[in-house]
Amino acid sequence: MAQFESRTLLSAPPEQVFDFILRPSNLQSVAPPETQFVYIQPPHIIELGTRLTCKLSAYGMVQQLSYEIIELVSPQRYREKMVDGPLQLWLNDYIVEPSE
């Protein structure tokens, strides 16, 4: 299975960063504009078992994806798994680590 990794360094305490990424409206606001990423009826805050549906533009096509939060360890990480979309298996981890 292919694996892709991206890192972003932020000047904020891990708890503050984690609180930020638990809010779908915040994630939508930092998505690249060209993706036209938008959540459909998102909750205010993500919890274990939350299901999210979003639309985004990729390769000239608008796609709809649904995924579920299958692991949540506050304030360190959460994992989402695609439950409806174009890929057979897709897992995405948000990991918050203090930097040195």
Side-chain angles (χ1 to χ4, degrees):
M1 174 169 63
Q3 183 173 335
F4 301 94
E5 185 175 313
S6 175
R7 291 181 181 261
T8 303
L9 295 176
L10 302 169
S11 297
E15 295 80 11
Q16 185 178 357
V17 173
F18 197 76
D19 183 65
F20 181 88
I21 65 173
L22 283 178
R23 300 172 190 281
S25 60
N26 290 339
L27 293 178
Q28 185 173 303
S29 73
V30 298
E34 64 272 11
T35 64
Q36 301 173 18
F37 182 85
V38 63
Y39 283 108
I40 300 168
Q41 299 180 333
H44 176 67
I45 194 162
I46 292 171
E47 299 175 338
L48 184 63
T50 296
R51 284 198 174 213
L52 296 157
T53 299
C54 65
K55 286 187 180 183
L56 62 97
S57 178
Y59 306 108
M61 298 181 342
V62 175
Q63 302 210 12
Q64 184 167 307
L65 321 166
S66 293
Y67 51 93
E68 181 178 350
I69 306 306
I70 61 169
E71 181 181 351
L72 194 147
V73 180
S74 181
Q76 297 145 344
R77 69 182 181 278
Y78 73 85
R79 173 176 273 190
E80 54 192 24
K81 179 181 181 180
M82 183 180 295
V83 293
D84 186 33
L87 303 175
Q88 186 173 10
L89 177 63
W90 180 77
L91 300 171
N92 187 44
D93 294 318
Y94 288 86
I95 302 170
V96 177
E97 299 174 320
S99 70
E100 297 173 15

